[in-house]
Amino acid sequence: MEELKRVAEKVEKGKHLEVPEEVRKALDKGIPPYDILISGLQAGLAVIGERFKRDECFIPEVLLSARAMHAGIDLLRPLLAQAGTEPFAKIVLGTVKDDLHDIGKNMVGMMLEGSGFRVVDIGINVPADRFAEVVQKEGASILAMSALLSTTMPYLKTTIDALKEKGIRDRVKVLVGGAPVTEEYAMAVGADGFAPDAARAVDKAKELLNIRA
Ligand code: B1M
């Protein structure tokens, strides 16, 4: 459909001021909000995500596209809520204790949200107990943690241990990432999944929850 193609193109090009207008045009044509989300906004971000994975574009472009997509989501959110459209699943996201880096985490959050997940971002410097408390309170399906320093990486394990102590480890999948973190390290600390970048964090989150879309 022409309207959805235009929404996707604007997201792909990072045109955050033009996305709402294209979304409105699609709504005026009677296209359901959910279709605009999936086949317009998410389709555009997916193109950028794939290009980012192949090193064909860089972080600023991904951030611009994510911002453009958010401009569209802001418009659709109340309509989706009215229609009772539930996002995929809830993900609690944060950067571990003593670590103040949040640029990568924010990218991961935007890509996850743009792919249909409901993201509860609890910020930086998050203590293990706080992660566990919010996972429990929100009934999250995934706990996503970012660590950017070699000194804060061990805190991934501290948090996973806290989940075990509270008896909630089996209720939530743990996804980890951040520049110094490797797949091997992630498995050694007892995480369920690792992703090297934001686009692959989306793939991994879907894989952990057996989501095919
Ligand atoms: Co800091 N810093 N920093 N820093 N900083 C690094 C990380 C460092 C590599 C610089 C260096 O020495 N070359 C180094 C860490 C060395 C190490 O331990 N291995 C370092 C250091 C040492 C420090 C301080 C200790 C410096 C000091 O004060 N002496 C200090 C620590 C503060 C603290 O956290 N307690 C510090 C402070 C800072 C600033 C506050 C100044 C600032 C952070 C601002 C902010 O985030 N709001 C900062 C920055 C900007 C950097 C660099 C330059 C850039 C990091 C970044 O945002 N990259 C960084 C050097 C570098 O990387 N070139 C550096 C872009 C971002 C998109 O990438 O976060 O890796 P990244 O995210 C990627 C992937 O890792 C992945 O997806 C993202 C992209 O797709 N990913 C996930 C991230 N989280 C994920 C989660 C997932 C999956 C994937 O699943 C849940």
Side-chain angles (χ1 to χ4, degrees):
M1 221 177 284
E2 216 32 60
E3 289 75 17
L4 294 178
K5 224 194 232 173
R6 274 204 300 274
V7 172
E9 273 170 17
K10 295 293 182 194
V11 171
E12 198 187 320
K13 291 183 180 149
K15 305 277 184 196
H16 75 284
L17 295 176
E18 294 167 29
V19 165
E21 191 189 327
E22 294 302 335
V23 167
R24 261 185 227 106
K25 283 185 196 160
L27 287 169
D28 290 346
K29 278 266 170 185
I31 301 173
Y34 186 74
D35 292 359
I36 301 173
L37 175 68
I38 303 293
S39 310
L41 299 172
Q42 283 187 23
L45 192 69
V47 174
I48 281 290
E50 289 303 317
R51 290 183 57 213
F52 181 63
K53 273 192 232 169
R54 296 195 298 267
D55 290 331
E56 289 171 11
C57 71
F58 301 100
I59 290 164
E61 285 151 283
V62 178
L63 291 175
L64 286 175
S65 284
R67 181 172 65 165
M69 182 208 62
H70 272 266
I73 288 184
D74 287 346
L75 208 71
L76 292 181
R77 194 172 278 125
L79 303 171
L80 290 166
Q82 268 171 28
T85 311
E86 285 296 322
F88 279 153
K90 207 176 260 185
I91 298 184
V92 169
L93 170 70
T95 302
V96 296
K97 187 168 179 296
D98 293 333
D99 198 325
L100 307 178
H101 297 85
D102 69 355
I103 299 168
K105 167 187 73 65
N106 293 344
M107 265 179 83
V108 170
M110 286 194 275
M111 293 291 281
L112 286 170
E113 199 164 53
S115 304
F117 291 96
R118 164 94 176 84
V119 176
V120 181
D121 186 339
I122 54 173
I124 52 174
N125 191 21
V126 180
D129 283 352
R130 171 89 181 125
F131 272 126
E133 179 196 320
V134 182
V135 161
Q136 202 158 18
K137 187 175 132 229
E138 298 285 347
S141 304
I142 294 181
L143 168 59
M145 288 186 283
S146 190
L148 258 287
L149 299 168
S150 31
T151 50
T152 58
M153 278 163 66
Y155 212 79
L156 295 169
K157 182 173 184 319
T158 307
T159 307
I160 293 170
D161 288 345
L163 296 176
K164 286 182 191 158
E165 274 164 32
K166 292 187 190 306
I168 55 171
R169 176 65 187 92
D170 295 342
R171 284 193 235 154
V172 65
K173 299 284 182 190
V174 177
L175 173 63
V176 299
V181 182
T182 61
E183 172 97 45
E184 200 185 6
Y185 187 85
M187 295 306 116
V189 297
D192 298 300
F194 159 79
D197 58 47
R200 273 171 277 221
V202 172
D203 296 343
K204 187 52 87 174
K206 288 182 180 174
E207 187 189 311
L208 290 175
L209 301 179
N210 294 317
I211 294 168
R212 284 170 199 278

